[in-house]
Amino acid sequence: MKANSKKQDASQMLDGNRAAALGAKLCRVQVVAAYPITPQTPVTEALSEIVERGELQAQYVTVESEHSAMAVCSSASLVGARTFTATSSHGLAYMHEMLHWVAGTRLPVVLACVNRAIGAPWNVLNDLQDSMSQRDTGWIQMYARNNQEILDQIIQAYRIAEKAYLPVMVCYDGYTLSHTDMPVDVPSQDAVDGFLPPYKAHTILDPTNPKNYNLVTLANPRLNAEGVLCHGYMEIRYLLQEALEKSKEAIASVGREFGDLFGRSYASLLWEDMMEGAEIAIVATGGLAMEAIVAAEMLRRDGIRAGVIGLRVFRPFPRADVLRALQGCRLAVVFDRSISYGNEGTACSETKAALYGTGTNMRVHGFIVGLGGRDVKARELAGAVKRTLSLTDRGALNSESPEWVCEI
Amino acid sequence: MSRVNAVNLTDKEYLLPGNRLCPGCAVSLAYRHILKALEGQAVVTVPASCLTVLHGMYPVTSVTVPCVNTPFASTAASAAGLSAGLKALGRTDLTVVAIAGDGGTHDIGIQALSGAAERQDDFVYICYDNEGYMNTGNQRSGSSPLGTISGTTPVLGKQQHQKDVVAIMEAHRLPYVATASASYPLDLYDKVRKARSMKGLRFIHVYTPCPPGWGFPFMDTIGIGEMAVQTGWNVLYEVEEGAFRLSPASQSVAEKGGLRPVRELVALQGRFANLTEDKIQALQDWVTGRWQRYLARTGS
Ligand SMILES: Cc1ncc(C[n+]2csc(CCOP(=O)(O)OP(=O)(O)O)c2C)c(N)n1
Ligand code: SF4
C-alpha cells in the first residue's frame, strides 16, 4: 500500500488555487459553497468546472455572499455532508459571524483562505491580516509555504477536522502561491481514499431522533427533562478550547500518517530549517518562512548562526514546540505580515507569550513587513536581523512597538 | 387538494404544551399548525427571533422536529445548506423548512433569501410577520406600518409604509407564493401541505398579531387577525406557478363587496395611538390601492 501509493503520485505543474481545488476534489467533498473574490476566484471556477463536468459528485451552491457560503457549509455539515469553501480578505471578514458559529457548533468544515490584504484602502495583494484577524474564532489554522503543502494540508485538514470536530482553515499566500505554478505531486484517488474514509457525522438532523441545535444556552449548567445536569454556555466553550488544545496531537499524528503513506511528513506543527546549533531564530508564517530560509543562509555565510522557525500551525498555537525549537537561541526575530493594530505583530505576541514564565533570557524583536503585497526580499530580512543584533538596549529589543520595514 | 377541517385535522402535536412565548402570541398558534402540516418529516432552520425563544433554552425544548438555530441573516442560506446536504446524501424524504420573522426576512435576511430564490433552492420559506423586531423588545422593521410607535420610532411614529415582501418574492418567479394568517390556521395548514408537495423555493407569509408589541389585550389575537382580513390590511391569496387566487377568507370579503375601514383596525392597537387623520387616510389609501390591484388580478 505504502510503496504503491507513493509510486502513483503524479507530478503536475499547478498553481496554488488549482492545488486547493484538486485537494477538495480528491477528498470527495459533497457540498461546495463559495463566492468569488480575488485572488481566490480560480478555486470557485475550477470546482464549478469539476462539478459541472461530473468529475465530482457534489452539490455546488452558487451563493450570493460569503456569509451565505459559510451558512450553507454549516447546515450541510450538520446533516452529514463533507463541505468545502474558499475565500480571501473581505470575504473572510464577511464570514466572521459564521466562522464563530461553525466552530461553536463543532462542525468539520474546511476552508481554503487565499491570504490577501484587507481594506481600506483597496488592495488585492498578499499579506496575512485576513486570516490572522480570525484567529480567535475557534478554527484550526494551518499555513502553507508552497503549493504541495496546500494540496497535502487540505487532504489532512479533513482527517483532522473530522477527528477533532473542529473546522480547519488552510491558508496560503495570494498570488505568490495562488497564481504561481509549481511542481506538485498529486496522489491518486485510491491513495487518498485509503487515507481519508467517508465522513461519518457524530450528529445528524433526523426526525427519527429529533435534536435541536444551538438553542439559547444559559451561563450556568441546567437540568434537562430527565433531571440530568447539562452544560452551560461556559462549559460548552471550555470544551471548544479543550478540543483545540487536544487537536495538536491529532494534527501531528495525521501528519505523521500522511508522511508514512505519501512520503511527505507533517508530524511537526512547525517547519524548522537550520535550527540545529542556531543562536538566532527567524520566526515567520506562510511563504515568508521560505524567504526566511534564504535570509538565514545569507546570515550563515556572514558567520551569524541563524535558523528558521515556520509556524505551520498557528491555531492551536504550538507553544511547547516553539519553546523547544527556541532552546539554545539568544534572539528570536519575528517577521509578521499582520498586526494587531495598537499592539504588535501577531506572531510576535504569540512567540513572546510562549516564552513567558520559562525563565529564559531570550530576546524577541518584531518587524512588520510585506503588507499589501510589498515585496519582502531575503536580504531585507537578513538586514533586519543584523540591525537587531546591533541593538544593545534591552528595552528597545523587547519593545512592544514593532519596527516597520517601509519608507516611514 | 382536499381541505382540512377542525374534525379531520390531526391530533398529533409536534409542538409540546408550554413554551416561553407571550400569552396570546400568534406565532405559537401558527407554528403548531405548520408543524402538523409537515407531519414531523422536516428539518427546520430558525434565526434569532421570538421563535428562538419558543424553541426553548438548552437542554429543554418544546419542539419535536429536528431543528438548527442559525444566525439572524443566514436563514435562507442555512436552508440551502440543509437542502444541498440532504441531496448530496441522497435523502429525499424530508422537507427543509426555514422560518423567520419579518426582521429576519424583509431586512437582514433578504439578501440570502433573494439569492436562494433566484437559485430556486429546494425548501419552504415561511415568514411570520409581527410587523416589528419583537425579540429585541419591539423596534421598527421594514414591515412596520406607517405611524407605528416602537422603540426606534418612539415619538413621531414610523414615517414610511411597509415593504411588500410578498411582491418581492413573487418577482423571483417562485413556483408557490402564499399569504396566510394565524387567525385562519386551517388555511395555513393547507398552504403548508401544498408547499410541501412542491419543489423549488416556496414562500409563505403568515400574519401573526403580537399583543405586547401592537398594544392589544392578549385574548384579542384571533379577532385582530380576522379584522385585518376584513379591512384588507392582510389579504389571503396564493400564486401558484404565476396564477393568482384569493383564498376563502379574502374571497368572501370580495364577494360581500366591501372592506371594513382601516380605522377600525388601528383603533384597537396601542402602537397607533398617535395616528393623525391624514396618516389614517394614508393607510386607508395604501390598503385600498393594494386591494384593487388584487381584485384586478382575480379578474373581478
Ligand atoms: C446580526 C444580528 N444583529 C442583531 C441581532 C439582534 N436581534 C435578535 S432577534 C432581532 C429581531 C428579530 O425580529 P424579527 O425577525 O422580526 O422576529 P421577531 O423577534 O419579531 O419574532 C434582532 C434585531 C442578532 N441576533 N444578530
Ligand atoms: S413579543 Fe409578540 S411575537 Fe414575540 S412572543 Fe410575544 S407576542 Fe409573540
Side-chain angles (χ1 to χ4, degrees):
Chain A
M1 178 70 198
K2 191 169 152 183
N4 226 355
S5 55
K6 274 187 212 166
K7 211 166 53 200
Q8 284 167 7
D9 280 13
S11 191
Q12 292 183 29
M13 288 301 284
L14 292 177
D15 64 27
N17 284 334
R18 280 170 49 228
L22 199 54
K25 179 188 175 217
L26 286 167
C27 292
R28 297 186 187 277
V29 297
Q30 293 162 301
V31 173
V32 180
Y35 190 77
I37 181 168
T38 305
Q40 154 269 26
T41 304
V43 182
T44 65
E45 293 180 343
L47 277 169
S48 300
E49 189 174 334
I50 287 167
V51 173
E52 282 197 7
R53 286 190 192 285
E55 292 165 16
L56 175 69
Q57 291 307 311
Q59 299 296 313
Y60 191 118
V61 187
T62 48
V63 283
E64 82 304 323
S65 75
E66 290 85 356
H67 193 278
S68 288
M70 193 46 72
V72 165
C73 288
S74 172
S75 289
S77 184
L78 205 56
V79 288
R82 183 175 283 162
T83 60
F84 179 75
T85 188
T87 191
S88 295
S89 182
H90 290 257
L92 192 67
Y94 202 38
M95 274 182 190
H96 178 71
E97 180 189 35
M98 293 308 308
L99 294 177
H100 275 291
W101 198 262
V102 165
T105 316
R106 304 286 303 275
L107 296 171
V109 174
V110 172
L111 177 153
C113 175
V114 191
N115 289 118
R116 162 184 156 182
I118 210 151
W122 284 120
N123 180 297
V124 297
L125 302 177
N126 169 241
D127 66 38
L128 303 188
Q129 194 68 46
D130 52 0
S131 55
M132 288 298 177
S133 298
Q134 305 300 337
R135 61 168 196 193
D136 297 340
T137 53
W139 283 60
I140 291 174
Q141 282 195 353
M142 310 202 290
Y143 287 81
R145 300 175 303 172
N146 55 48
N147 297 350
Q148 183 73 58
E149 291 171 10
I150 297 171
L151 178 80
D152 291 353
Q153 291 192 97
I154 283 181
I155 296 169
Q156 291 168 58
Y158 282 101
R159 271 288 298 277
I160 296 161
E162 290 165 14
K163 192 166 172 176
Y165 281 108
L166 288 170
V168 180
M169 205 179 282
V170 177
C171 308
Y172 56 94
D173 296 338
Y175 289 108
T176 44
L177 295 185
S178 70
H179 286 64
T180 307
D181 277 7
M182 296 176 189
V184 174
D185 282 343
V186 180
S188 70
Q189 185 66 62
D190 281 352
V192 175
D193 289 346
F195 176 74
L196 179 70
Y199 172 43
K200 283 208 190 67
H202 64 331
T203 47
I204 296 223
L205 282 172
D206 195 313
T208 54
N209 180 19
K211 289 193 160 68
N212 208 315
Y213 285 97
N214 295 328
L215 282 172
V216 175
T217 303
L218 298 180
N220 292 327
R222 196 161 173 258
L223 296 176
N224 71 7
E226 281 89 46
V228 179
L229 198 62
C230 296
H231 292 320
Y233 179 87
M234 246 184 110
E235 286 70 26
I236 291 172
R237 287 280 149 172
Y238 174 90
L239 293 175
L240 176 59
Q241 160 69 1
E242 187 184 65
L244 258 300
E245 288 289 353
K246 276 197 188 150
S247 73
K248 290 176 190 169
E249 283 164 38
I251 294 168
S253 71
V254 167
R256 194 172 306 113
E257 200 185 314
F258 186 91
D260 291 345
L261 221 55
F262 299 99
R264 296 179 295 277
S265 179
Y266 291 76
S268 171
L269 278 63
L270 303 177
W271 306 113
E272 291 168 63
D273 287 280
M274 294 180 282
M275 283 305 293
E276 218 142 292
E279 278 187 317
I280 291 146
I282 302 177
V283 181
T285 316
L288 193 59
M290 246 11 185
E291 202 63 22
I293 296 173
V294 183
E297 282 164 354
M298 288 174 170
L299 291 165
R300 291 250 171 186
R301 279 199 291 277
D302 292 343
I304 298 166
R305 285 198 281 147
V308 177
I309 297 175
L311 300 171
R312 178 171 81 84
V313 178
F314 193 78
R315 279 291 179 275
F317 192 76
R319 283 185 297 265
D321 307 72
V322 169
L323 259 185
R324 183 207 21 86
L326 286 174
Q327 287 289 313
C329 292
R330 61 186 171 90
L331 172 70
V333 183
V334 187
F335 291 98
D336 269 298
R337 277 185 302 174
S338 64
I339 175 165
S340 174
Y341 284 97
N343 193 23
E344 60 184 343
T346 325
C348 186
S349 293
E350 309 275 343
T351 307
K352 284 181 182 171
L355 292 169
Y356 181 77
T358 59
T360 171
N361 249 347
M362 229 184 100
R363 296 169 184 200
V364 180
H365 196 59
F367 286 90
I368 304 298
V369 297
L371 300 191
R374 180 77 73 102
D375 200 18
V376 188
K377 295 186 179 67
R379 69 177 145 73
E380 285 172 328
L381 297 178
V385 171
K386 282 184 181 167
R387 229 166 38 246
T388 308
L389 284 170
S390 69
L391 290 174
T392 46
D393 173 17
R394 270 198 77 92
L397 266 171
N398 277 343
S399 148
E400 280 186 3
S401 304
E403 262 187 64
W404 286 60
V405 179
C406 72
E407 302 302 322
I408 301 179
Chain B
M1 190 180 282
S2 66
R3 290 192 174 275
V4 70
N5 57 45
V7 177
N8 66 15
L9 179 70
T10 173
D11 287 340
K12 193 153 166 46
E13 298 292 348
Y14 300 90
L15 184 57
L16 303 177
N19 69 57
R20 290 172 178 270
L21 297 196
C22 306
C25 176
V27 178
S28 287
L29 181 64
Y31 198 38
R32 178 170 164 235
H33 288 85
I34 289 165
L35 293 185
K36 277 178 184 270
L38 295 167
E39 296 175 296
Q41 290 307 299
V43 178
V44 177
T45 181
V46 175
S49 58
C50 285
L51 193 59
T52 318
V53 178
L54 181 151
H55 272 253
M57 272 196 255
Y58 182 78
V60 180
T61 179
S62 57
V63 181
T64 62
V65 294
C67 168
V68 49
N69 288 274
T70 196
F72 198 18
S74 69
T75 320
S78 169
L82 294 172
S83 165
L86 290 170
K87 202 165 174 193
L89 297 171
R91 282 207 72 161
T92 52
D93 53 330
L94 301 175
T95 305
V96 173
V97 182
I99 311 189
D102 47 291
T105 303
H106 300 51
D107 297 342
I108 200 167
I110 199 165
Q111 172 181 316
L113 175 57
S114 177
E118 181 269 329
R119 293 190 302 271
Q120 295 288 344
D121 285 341
D122 189 23
F123 59 87
V124 178
Y125 189 104
I126 299 174
C127 167
Y128 72 86
D129 191 352
N130 51 26
E131 300 184 337
Y133 300 161
M134 297 311 173
N135 183 237
T136 38
N138 188 12
Q139 298 81 30
R140 94 192 268 289
S141 80
S143 184
S144 302
L146 180 74
T148 305
I149 297 290
S150 75
T152 48
T153 49
V155 179
L156 302 176
K158 192 181 165 190
Q159 299 295 308
Q160 303 84 10
H161 281 292
Q162 291 177 290
K163 183 191 285 192
D164 189 347
V165 85
V166 189
I168 294 172
M169 294 317 294
E170 211 193 319
H172 289 77
R173 306 176 71 86
L174 301 181
Y176 187 68
V177 172
T179 61
S181 165
S183 297
Y184 300 87
L186 301 181
D187 178 62
L188 168 62
Y189 177 95
D190 281 334
K191 285 169 175 165
V192 175
R193 290 281 297 209
K194 185 182 281 182
R196 203 183 137 195
S197 70
M198 302 172 120
K199 289 273 164 226
L201 201 153
R202 299 85 88 190
F203 181 84
I204 302 176
H205 175 274
V206 189
Y207 186 77
T208 49
C210 163
W214 296 7
F216 65 82
F218 63 75
M219 61 282 222
D220 290 352
T221 303
I222 302 300
I224 295 272
E226 287 171 348
M227 194 184 292
V229 170
Q230 288 154 13
T231 54
W233 184 287
N234 180 218
V235 182
L236 303 186
Y237 61 89
E238 291 174 290
V239 187
E240 210 175 326
E241 300 294 353
F244 181 91
R245 184 168 54 242
L246 284 177
S247 303
S250 288
Q251 181 63 34
S252 87
V253 174
E255 282 163 9
K256 287 189 187 124
L259 301 175
R260 286 170 73 172
V262 161
R263 181 188 300 277
E264 290 181 21
L265 179 63
V266 299
L268 299 175
Q269 303 174 44
R271 63 176 168 160
F272 295 123
N274 292 3
L275 275 193
T276 53
E277 274 307 313
D278 54 325
K279 284 254 166 60
I280 294 178
Q281 192 54 48
L283 284 170
Q284 184 64 63
D285 292 347
W286 190 73
V287 165
T288 312
R290 201 178 53 171
W291 176 249
Q292 296 299 344
R293 288 198 297 280
Y294 288 138
L295 288 186
R297 289 182 73 180
T298 63
S300 43

